[in-house]
Amino acid sequence: MADLSPDLSPDLSPDLSSRNPDWWRQAVIYQVYPRSFADADGDGLGDLRGITERLNHLATLGADAVWLSPFYPSELADGGYDVIDPRGVDERLGTLEDFDALVAEAHRLGLKVVVDVVPNHTSRLHPWFQEALRAAPGSPARDRYVFRPGRGAHGELPPTDWQSVFGGSAWRRVPDGEWYLHLFAPEQPDLNWENEEVRADFRTTLRFWSDRGVDGFRVDVAHGLAKDLAEPLRDVGDIGATGEDALPKVPPGSHPYWDRDEVHEIYRDWRKIFDAYSPPRMAVAEAWVPGDRRARYARPDELGQAFNFEYLEARWDAAELREVITGSLATARAAGASATWVLSNHDVVRHASRLMLPPGTDPAAWLLSGGAAPAIDTAAGLRRARAATLLMLALPGSAYLYQGEELGLPEVADLPTEVLQDPIWEQTGHVRKGRDGCRVPLPWTTSGPSYGFGPGAGWLPQPSAFAACAVEAQAGTEGSTLELYRTALRLRRKLLEGETLTWTPDTPADVLDFSRTGAWRSVTNLGSEPVPLPPGEILLSSAPLPDGKVLPSDTTVWLG
């Protein structure tokens, strides 16, 4: 596999030694979705060896760490988040030796390694669940999961009205008549975190990966582990929260299965494990909860950091973004953590497309239309995405990048329905198309059956437009999105100082203008008309500044 990245120069090499245990507070962390990053063995699936061969791309980009989505043994009922063995490697993606080689190469390049952990559920093929299916109701094997008898005269109705995030009931009946809980796909039975054996096994998993050199963990569905399992189980009824991102209409911490107060005891226990290592292992929570609740997960004695989804979901609107940024910084400060910023990930429409959707547009409906209603101007979408990126990278805290955004990739909204693999498509009765459009394999070269992703076709088809987005097409090309990212991350590392910002007073309504410690400044024009460019040395701009006197629409500039 050809290496398309130039050699690292000293000023690009990350400085993340163990002498800085707080490296994560203002890091740039690059998310790799392993199946879609690089395919070294030619089977159409990305793999660990492919990632290792492409790690120089991340180092040259200027990332501080690589975050790996699940690579564990899985039947891929939910893109790898249905884990059969949390301490193994899926044979289609490699071996533990391949993983060790990846960590060694990452560390050689100065990159930290963060891995996904999935504590809310396992795969239905996990040995524990297979044992539970063979065991009798009320057995210790079943107590590791959430099994309950059904309602109705013959137990033919689910135990509660709880709904799966992916659609339909969150309960599935087994042949002996009992039902098991799955807040996601039926292939993902929920664990019972009141069971000490479950807790002990996860402690083993955290130590297993930490001992292999992992520097941190991204905790999937961090707000879902603790559940109110007291009999009789409570219905959700009209209190809301049929999806993981819905806000429950109950007192905070008291919903039957989302964001319960008891979950924090689990993370305080984990923190003891993290802090036993030198440097301490970092962690970040995926918790779809309001900011004041999110702060709890980010406390120093718990996970230390939590994803800020308010920022990801904010519209391209100056007033809304300013409010979200101000609130997010305050929330992080109250928790003793640093803020997090993210524009795209493996679960959402890529921001080069999403930010162009008119206010009120449902991204799911747009996907169902194949990206045709409304049609999106891809050039305008890329311009806005570039401006949003420079804005995000200027903010205090950690920036989480999703693979391919540095290439300006749009959402592949028109995937044929026959190639879709996300369980959401089937579980919603073909009402929601799912997340495959942001998981299409990356283009590395301008030609070939999968544009350099691998020697053959990838597991999802790539559009022909990907050729112009490939690393080969953009590397070294002045003004390309890839070079914008490289320059921005290099500058960011040199400019970062402190974890605060100061808003500039008396700015136009459509402008976000703030200063950072060290007298550098970020200005973003989110309006439809140009505005006067403030004085200062132009360090970097997301789009050309024709006369150096005005800041065009949908443009961010950094000033020194």
Side-chain angles (χ1 to χ4, degrees), residues 182-370:
H182 62 88
L183 289 179
F184 292 85
E187 295 87 353
Q188 296 168 289
D190 278 49
L191 288 164
N192 172 18
W193 275 85
E194 293 181 3
N195 184 298
E196 180 51 39
E197 193 174 0
V198 169
R199 296 187 178 217
D201 190 73
F202 228 86
R203 295 185 195 106
T204 299
T205 295
L206 296 174
R207 292 188 181 102
F208 178 87
W209 294 113
S210 296
D211 290 343
R212 296 193 93 91
V214 163
D215 302 287
F217 300 90
R218 179 263 190 184
V219 184
D220 186 61
V221 196
H223 61 308
L225 279 58
K227 300 172 176 71
D228 181 4
L229 300 179
E231 297 291 349
L233 296 182
R234 289 188 289 149
D235 278 344
V236 171
D238 63 356
I239 64 174
T242 57
E244 65 174 334
D245 57 346
L247 302 181
K249 301 172 184 175
V250 293
S254 64
H255 188 270
Y257 49 85
W258 291 138
D259 188 35
R260 292 189 59 78
D261 288 339
E262 300 95 316
V263 77
H264 298 287
E265 171 199 348
I266 297 170
Y267 299 132
R268 285 191 290 272
D269 181 55
W270 289 12
R271 176 47 59 187
K272 297 173 185 175
I273 296 173
F274 300 151
D275 287 350
Y277 290 86
S278 181
R281 285 4 185 187
M282 63 81 71
V284 57
E286 182 211 25
W288 290 86
V289 297
D292 57 335
R293 298 291 296 179
R294 186 176 67 241
R296 293 168 170 249
Y297 296 83
R299 290 178 292 199
D301 65 340
E302 294 193 29
L303 296 177
Q305 203 171 60
F307 281 128
N308 174 6
F309 292 115
E310 284 101 331
Y311 185 75
L312 182 150
E313 294 180 327
R315 295 174 301 148
W316 187 243
D317 176 84
E320 183 173 339
L321 280 168
R322 178 168 177 156
E323 181 179 356
V324 166
I325 291 167
T326 301
S328 299
L329 290 171
T331 295
R333 187 164 51 251
S338 60
T340 64
W341 314 102
V342 60
L343 286 166
S344 285
N345 62 36
H346 65 290
D347 283 334
V348 301
V349 172
R350 285 186 177 273
H351 66 275
S353 299
R354 189 185 71 249
L355 291 175
M356 290 303 295
L357 295 177
T361 303
D362 179 1
W366 178 76
L367 284 175
L368 199 60
S369 77

Side-chain angles (χ1 to χ4, degrees), residues 9 40 42 67 73 110 158 160 189 192 199 214-215 338 349 418 437-438 452 487 509 536 549:
S9 58
W67 151 30
T160 68
N192 172 18
R199 296 187 178 217
V214 163
D215 302 287
S338 60
V349 172
E418 61 267 20
C438 65
T487 303
K549 297 180 179 179

Side-chain angles (χ1 to χ4, degrees), residues 38-62:
D39 172 21
D41 62 13
D43 66 355
L45 282 179
D47 45 48
L48 295 185
R49 192 155 56 87
I51 297 170
T52 303
E53 292 174 356
R54 297 291 194 188
L55 281 176
N56 197 52
H57 170 72
L58 275 63
T60 305
L61 186 68

Side-chain angles (χ1 to χ4, degrees), residues 48 52 95-106 209 212-213:
L48 295 185
T52 303
T95 64
L96 276 172
E97 289 72 24
D98 290 329
F99 178 82
D100 292 341
L102 187 160
V103 172
E105 177 64 4
W209 294 113
R212 296 193 93 91

